[in-house]
Amino acid sequence: MGVRAQQKEKTRRALVDAAFNQLSAERSFSSLSLREVAREAGIAPTSFYRHFKDMNELGLTMVDEGGLTLRQMMRKGRQRAEAGGSVIRISVDTFMEVLESNPNVFRILLHERSGTSAAFRAAVEREIEHFISELTHYTEAHANRHPTLARAQAEALVTLVFNAGASALDLKRSERKQLADQLVLHLRIVATGAEALQHKMDLKAERHV
Amino acid sequence: MGVRAQQKEKTRRALVDAAFNQLSAERSFSSLSLREVAREAGIAPTSFYRHFKDMNELGLTMVDEGGLTLRQMMRKGRQRAEAGGSVIRISVDTFMEVLESNPNVFRILLHERSGTSAAFRAAVEREIEHFISELTHYTEAHANRHPTLARAQAEALVTLVFNAGASALDLKRSERKQLADQLVLHLRIVATGAEALQHKMDLKAERHV
DNA sequence: TAAATTAGCTTACATATGTACGCTCAATTA
DNA sequence: TAATTGAGCGTACATATGTAAGCTAATTTA
């Protein structure tokens, strides 16, 4: 890559980073301004257009990047669980750690999920679908679940986790621990319920043999 | 109430209604402007201040009103369920109907829940807490659940329902029906799981007698 | 080396916003 | 009836925004 392309890439990163950096509990993506982002990235407002068509394009980039980051971290967490211990507990703990170290990554997903741009909502749904899909496969493999049930279980689990994440953003560390315990219980309820329904299905199937 | 106070009340309503009316999939509360709301309500921008300190105060009013509306409608639905039939099914159907007839009421709750104002987030949490609380009591009474478990079950149920509501806003009626079925399955998983865990607890308790 | 490309800059403009200030006049109170 | 109150109005201003137009200078290409 030539000197010029490198510099461009660097500026582009500066823009993305500036935008992520300006997110907070009090500031959502849609409230960021092109001028302010450009200012923090150290370029003139109009130079922004050399990198993105408009703020939306920047935002969608952030959602994609954010989703990817999150999934990578969760995958690492699942690897940790392979070593033994409760998958639920370890996953929840991983999730909370990720949340703590990347709150803004989570924020944009969370907020834009119920945001005002259909494109954003779709992008976030896509990321969540990835989570659900990965978890469905995992469950089918490890718990020998019927596909429909595995899918429903994964949907419920991901929903509950994301939701807890949303609440966690507002909490201090101590309260967050409590929330994590609560979440673990919710997840166990779901896992237990899916297990029980699976048994019922199996019994019915036997009777028909 | 005097003529004057009546007129004032009427204008206030016009403001609230205008604001609700301007909400849409593409327009969140925080993107509404004082001027535009006043315009639709038929008063001068500056007259707005005769009724609300600022837009935030209007918004919080809307959240309170919205939460109340929603709860009233859900209670009616539960009454319908008393006549017989699956509580889950009937509640989900009620919820979907409410959603269809009052999408904007739901929108503000949904959006501001992950919004940028702590006051709004707290207000929405308060409304959701009402839902959870009502449902916890219902479950304790009708299913003889241990309090902790009843609470956790209610939390999970409400989370799943709200979440499905969020997705439903974007869908056409036919797809919505499908989503409702999905949601019913999720709720059954939770109910079954809570039931199973309750049994386990009961057995353990017996052993200790 | 000469020509072409392009990231970034400066200047400029139109637009929308929140809200301060002070007036009017109909309803209320005394 | 005379005095007070207050909902609503018009005017005005400071500010922030997105972005169009055209220039500069360094890198890349031929």
Side-chain angles (χ1 to χ4, degrees):
Chain A
M1 194 161 53
V3 177
R4 197 167 191 157
Q6 272 181 19
Q7 178 51 39
K8 180 166 188 181
E9 181 54 33
K10 212 169 152 188
T11 304
R12 188 190 146 101
R13 262 256 63 80
L15 284 169
V16 174
D17 290 346
F20 264 121
N21 195 42
Q22 289 180 9
L23 293 180
S24 74
E26 296 78 30
R27 210 107 154 62
S28 70
F29 174 76
S30 57
S31 80
L32 301 186
S33 87
L34 182 153
R35 290 176 100 104
E36 213 173 336
V37 169
R39 206 176 301 139
E40 178 165 338
I43 63 171
T46 48
S47 302
F48 178 94
Y49 298 104
R50 301 290 185 194
H51 302 272
F52 300 99
K53 187 175 136 277
D54 52 25
M55 282 295 281
N56 266 359
E57 200 173 290
L58 205 210
L60 291 174
T61 301
M62 291 167 76
V63 169
D64 288 354
E65 259 192 36
L68 189 62
T69 304
L70 241 53
R71 256 178 295 136
Q72 283 171 343
M73 300 189 87
M74 288 308 289
R75 242 177 262 147
K76 266 192 209 161
R78 234 170 295 153
Q79 280 171 18
R80 235 194 292 170
E82 306 265 310
S86 152
V87 192
I88 286 182
R89 185 80 241 181
I90 293 175
S91 294
V92 167
D93 289 346
T94 305
F95 185 73
M96 289 297 170
E97 285 166 29
V98 172
L99 207 68
E100 189 156 348
S101 53
N102 304 61
N104 290 351
V105 166
F106 189 73
R107 272 197 183 98
I108 193 168
L109 291 175
L110 178 69
H111 189 91
E112 297 310 325
R113 193 195 180 181
S114 65
T116 52
S117 151
F120 273 73
R121 290 198 299 274
V124 175
E125 277 325 304
R126 224 175 296 132
E127 297 301 325
I128 292 182
E129 171 56 32
H130 284 147
F131 279 96
I132 294 177
S133 172
E134 285 191 16
L135 192 52
T136 302
H137 292 332
Y138 182 88
T139 312
E140 277 181 298
H142 289 66
N144 198 35
R145 242 343 144 271
H146 182 279
T148 308
L149 199 51
R151 168 82 197 184
Q153 176 180 359
E155 284 166 353
L157 291 174
V158 169
T159 299
L160 292 169
V161 170
F162 253 72
N163 210 278
S167 309
L169 281 176
D170 266 353
L171 304 179
K172 307 196 252 312
R173 193 179 303 210
S174 63
E175 297 166 308
R176 225 174 262 200
K177 220 200 137 306
Q178 203 182 332
L179 184 83
D181 293 344
Q182 232 176 78
L183 175 57
V184 167
L185 178 50
H186 293 168
L187 302 187
R188 286 206 207 290
I189 291 178
V190 170
T192 307
E195 178 92 15
L197 288 179
Q198 177 72 54
H199 275 160
K200 270 196 207 167
M201 282 177 63
D202 291 346
L203 290 178
K204 219 177 235 174
E206 270 178 42
R207 252 180 275 126
H208 285 285
V209 168
Chain B
M1 191 162 54
V3 177
R4 197 168 190 154
Q6 272 181 18
Q7 176 52 38
K8 179 165 189 183
E9 180 54 33
K10 211 169 150 187
T11 304
R12 188 189 148 101
R13 262 258 64 80
L15 284 169
V16 174
D17 289 346
F20 265 121
N21 195 41
Q22 289 181 9
L23 293 179
S24 73
E26 295 78 28
R27 209 107 155 59
S28 70
F29 174 76
S30 57
S31 80
L32 302 187
S33 87
L34 182 154
R35 291 176 98 104
E36 212 172 338
V37 169
R39 206 176 300 140
E40 178 164 337
I43 63 171
T46 48
S47 302
F48 178 94
Y49 298 103
R50 301 291 185 191
H51 302 272
F52 300 99
K53 187 175 137 278
D54 53 24
M55 282 295 282
N56 265 359
E57 200 173 290
L58 206 209
L60 290 174
T61 301
M62 291 168 75
V63 169
D64 288 355
E65 260 194 35
L68 189 61
T69 304
L70 241 52
R71 256 179 295 135
Q72 282 172 343
M73 300 191 87
M74 288 308 289
R75 244 179 259 144
K76 267 192 209 162
R78 235 172 293 153
Q79 279 171 16
R80 236 194 291 170
E82 305 266 310
S86 152
V87 192
I88 286 182
R89 185 80 240 180
I90 292 176
S91 295
V92 167
D93 289 347
T94 305
F95 185 73
M96 289 297 170
E97 285 164 28
V98 172
L99 206 69
E100 190 157 346
S101 54
N102 304 59
N104 290 351
V105 166
F106 189 75
R107 269 196 186 99
I108 193 168
L109 291 175
L110 178 69
H111 189 91
E112 298 311 325
R113 193 194 181 183
S114 65
T116 53
S117 152
F120 273 72
R121 290 198 300 274
V124 175
E125 276 327 303
R126 223 175 297 132
E127 297 301 324
I128 292 182
E129 171 56 33
H130 283 147
F131 279 95
I132 295 178
S133 173
E134 285 192 17
L135 191 53
T136 302
H137 292 331
Y138 182 89
T139 313
E140 278 182 296
H142 289 66
N144 199 37
R145 259 304 169 282
H146 181 279
T148 309
L149 198 52
R151 168 84 196 182
Q153 177 179 359
E155 285 167 352
L157 292 175
V158 170
T159 299
L160 292 169
V161 170
F162 253 71
N163 210 278
S167 309
L169 281 175
D170 266 354
L171 305 179
K172 309 196 250 314
R173 193 178 301 211
S174 64
E175 298 166 308
R176 226 174 260 198
K177 221 202 138 303
Q178 204 181 331
L179 183 83
D181 293 344
Q182 233 176 78
L183 175 57
V184 167
L185 178 50
H186 293 168
L187 301 187
R188 284 204 206 292
I189 291 177
V190 170
T192 307
E195 178 91 16
L197 288 179
Q198 177 72 53
H199 275 160
K200 271 196 206 166
M201 282 176 63
D202 292 346
L203 290 178
K204 219 178 236 173
E206 272 179 42
R207 252 180 277 127
H208 285 285
V209 168

